[in-house]
Amino acid sequence: MLGSSEKIERLIQELSKMPTIGRRTAQRIALYLLKAPREEVTSLVSALVEMKENVGYCAECGAITESDPCAICADPKRERSAICVVEEPGNVMGIEKTGEYRGLYHVLHGRLSPLDGLGPEDLSIDRLTERIKALGVKEVIIATNPTVEGEATCSYLAQVVKPLGVKITTIARGVPMGSDLDLADEMTLARSIQGRGEVK
Amino acid sequence: MSIHRTHGIVLRTRKFRESSKIIVFFTRRYGKISAIAKGSLKPKSKFGSSLELFTRSSLIFYRKENRDLHTLSHSEILNANKNIGNDVVKLAYASAATEMVERLVPNEEQNETLYELLDAILNQIGVAERNQLELILASYTLKMLHAVGYGPELAACVRCGKDLGDEVWFGLHSGGALCPACHKEDLHAMEMSRATLELMRKFESISMARLRETHSADKFSRDAFDILHAFVRAQISEGARIRSLDFLERMRDSSFA
């Protein structure tokens, strides 16, 4: 190929397979890597291989981990009476950062989405019910995203978990900290009123 | 670049980069458009929940000529259709209603009738009982097909024009009802009952709200539902799928809802 090479073309094609990377961005990355020092490229390759060989999903909760079970599931100090259900592994990191929660997690790896063709069989729901029974869980905290599909997933999960006789809660929805009530829309305010809590 | 105001219903959203979303709207004045809402995933975003699926909002956007992606500058909720998210079954029916529009309609073709119809079906799904959803989605599908120019012929045989008797077929490639003599000409003809044909004719003549009050779901509404959706699938390009319709069929065949 004039002005290029087959090897660069191959790299562009591989990079273009990644989410949010189009052909033009892939070309920019490929040309950057061509110019970069050899050590930088070697370090990137070894980081990719190491990640692929050593990182996976916890067989218990589905979170990202280098050991199986993950550090949270293996920690005897974590409360085993509560499971917090989230859509994606990244959500676990977000909740952990708060330092407010000491129970276990369960990652669904998605949400119910007719538009994307994702049904209950595509999510880790059977494993969730197995864990609730096996661990003797008393409270399931559903922390799906506050979107229409996240809410529908939440109501579906509540329907599945209810017969197991555990307490089902959701994380609070509504006005974010530091914002102004005047600027909140009707849906956000409605959810804040519905999920209001007693002042402690 | 010019500034435009209209009302629009959210058909689909997808994440773009770290904190933005690309939204496909069906708007009153411009038909189907895509717009980027920068920073809309941030908790304190000015867009709030106005960009959630099925929400009808008033919009202000910057339109770039000869571009498919515009920039949303403001949106304010007119109707959040909030009952849909409380129930996965309603979510599936509402998704099918919006996805059919997304697949069948080209970009930026104004169609106010379709806009009103989409608004009406989402309202109806919000207030309907679960067992009425199949009937009203079938009725909506036929009205939508007429609104986008794919309306099937149901008054007489679409091929020979003769009156229809008790034996009727629906020709997916012919585009309407077929008599016994003509159905062999269409390799994709589906047999249907006279009662199903009468129900489809009723779909054309009465509103979805009225239908919900006067009719209940039965075998014929199920048949109408299946035939009309097979017809919709026949109109989209080969290999393309309407995932929400596939989802509805899977849901019907399983016990999950």
Side-chain angles (χ1 to χ4, degrees):
Chain A
M1 190 183 290
L2 286 176
S4 184
S5 89
E6 273 182 27
K7 291 184 173 61
I8 285 191
E9 187 55 33
R10 193 187 145 210
L11 178 60
I12 291 172
Q13 279 181 11
E14 290 299 322
L15 290 168
S16 315
K17 290 178 188 168
M18 295 178 191
T20 76
I21 296 189
R23 195 181 154 81
R24 202 172 288 180
T25 310
Q27 190 175 317
R28 265 206 299 276
I29 297 172
L31 294 177
Y32 168 80
L33 292 172
L34 183 67
K35 251 191 198 172
R38 191 182 173 82
E39 308 80 68
E40 197 177 320
V41 178
T42 316
S43 165
L44 174 67
V45 171
S46 81
L48 286 172
V49 173
E50 253 179 62
M51 182 270 290
K52 199 66 204 161
E53 283 176 355
N54 299 303
V55 184
Y57 297 111
C58 173
E60 285 293 312
C61 68
I64 292 172
T65 179
E66 287 185 27
S67 57
D68 197 7
C70 69
I72 295 172
C73 289
D75 183 352
K77 289 185 197 141
R78 302 290 300 211
E79 287 167 26
R80 266 142 221 283
S81 59
I83 284 190
C84 178
V85 184
V86 295
E87 289 182 22
E88 299 295 344
N91 304 143
V92 173
M93 297 180 221
I95 297 174
E96 278 299 285
K97 263 195 228 160
T98 68
E100 288 287 324
Y101 178 67
R102 295 296 302 156
L104 301 176
Y105 290 93
H106 189 86
V107 184
L108 295 170
H109 290 278
R111 76 269 179 252
L112 294 177
S113 172
L115 288 169
D116 291 332
L118 293 174
E121 63 281 10
D122 300 304
L123 308 182
S124 173
I125 294 176
D126 291 344
R127 182 77 189 118
L128 171 65
T129 53
E130 279 169 24
R131 290 183 74 208
I132 293 169
K133 287 180 205 161
L135 294 165
V137 168
K138 295 197 169 59
E139 181 179 0
V140 173
I141 304 158
I142 305 177
T144 49
N145 282 319
T147 61
V148 172
E149 291 178 335
E151 298 280 286
T153 307
C154 173
S155 79
Y156 177 74
L157 285 177
Q159 188 186 312
V160 171
V161 170
K162 207 171 184 180
L164 305 178
V166 294
K167 182 178 173 187
I168 304 163
T169 55
T170 65
I171 55 168
R173 315 278 204 210
V175 185
M177 289 295 288
S179 70
D180 193 316
L181 286 190
D182 285 348
L183 298 175
D185 61 55
E186 61 181 61
M187 262 304 268
T188 308
L189 269 177
R191 293 309 306 265
S192 302
I193 300 285
Q194 285 162 9
R196 67 189 181 276
E198 200 176 328
V199 179
K200 287 171 190 161
Chain B
M1 195 146 69
S2 49
I3 193 160
H4 296 264
R5 287 167 194 270
T6 185
H7 291 176
I9 295 166
V10 178
L11 302 181
R12 185 183 289 270
T13 67
R14 71 181 163 90
K15 194 177 169 184
F16 181 72
R17 300 213 170 129
E18 196 69 10
S19 60
S20 302
K21 276 204 278 196
I22 291 177
I23 303 106
V24 182
F25 292 101
F26 194 79
T27 64
R28 187 190 284 277
R29 291 177 65 187
Y30 306 96
K32 188 175 78 174
I33 63 161
S34 294
I36 181 164
K38 290 179 184 163
S40 54
L41 287 171
K42 289 181 183 166
K44 290 180 201 168
S45 156
K46 62 181 176 180
F47 296 109
S49 64
S50 65
L51 306 178
E52 278 304 303
L53 286 176
F54 321 123
T55 301
R56 187 164 64 89
S57 298
S58 88
L59 311 171
I60 300 176
F61 68 97
Y62 292 96
R63 192 170 185 208
K64 297 172 193 160
E65 293 307 324
N66 306 320
R67 284 280 204 61
D68 286 338
L69 187 63
H70 309 299
T71 304
L72 192 68
S73 97
H74 176 85
S75 70
E76 199 171 316
I77 297 176
L78 296 171
N79 181 359
N81 282 311
K82 55 190 172 194
N83 290 339
I84 295 174
N86 298 334
D87 182 351
V88 65
V89 178
K90 291 190 173 191
L91 171 75
Y93 278 89
S95 300
T98 52
E99 196 181 359
M100 284 192 281
V101 169
E102 197 194 350
R103 296 276 178 244
L104 286 175
V105 175
N107 283 341
E108 311 211 6
E109 234 179 60
Q110 189 194 12
N111 189 333
E112 208 161 332
T113 310
L114 184 58
Y115 177 83
E116 297 294 347
L117 199 55
L118 193 55
D119 185 32
I121 182 69
L122 294 174
N123 284 327
Q124 287 300 315
I125 290 173
V127 295
E129 298 296 326
R130 271 187 176 189
N131 62 8
Q132 297 174 313
L133 294 170
E134 197 169 75
L135 181 73
I136 57 168
L137 189 73
S139 163
Y140 159 82
T141 304
L142 185 58
K143 289 175 192 292
M144 179 210 60
L145 284 165
H146 281 295
V148 298
Y150 292 117
E153 169 64 55
L154 299 173
C157 174
V158 65
R159 279 184 170 258
C160 68
K162 282 187 187 150
D163 284 345
L164 296 159
D166 286 339
E167 279 184 88
V168 198
W169 279 262
F170 189 100
L172 297 184
H173 285 185
S174 309
L178 292 167
C179 67
C182 293
H183 92 267
K184 288 174 192 140
E185 304 292 321
D186 189 330
L187 292 174
H188 299 273
M190 294 172 80
E191 194 171 2
M192 69 173 171
S193 65
R194 178 81 202 183
T196 306
L197 174 70
E198 294 301 340
L199 183 62
M200 285 190 192
R201 286 174 173 171
K202 193 147 277 175
F203 290 165
E204 289 178 328
S205 62
I206 65 172
S207 72
M208 290 181 282
R210 182 94 186 102
L211 184 76
R212 201 166 56 78
E213 284 162 12
T214 55
H215 281 68
S216 49
D218 55 20
K219 177 188 174 307
F220 307 117
S221 60
R222 168 67 56 94
D223 288 347
F225 182 92
D226 289 343
I227 290 168
L228 288 168
H229 291 127
F231 186 58
V232 169
R233 285 184 172 113
Q235 308 312 314
I236 60 172
S237 48
E238 212 171 313
R241 286 165 57 204
I242 299 180
R243 289 203 167 106
S244 310
L245 286 179
D246 299 345
F247 185 98
L248 274 178
E249 282 167 11
R250 268 159 54 206
M251 192 172 77
R252 204 163 71 175
D253 297 339
S254 71
S255 57
F256 84 71

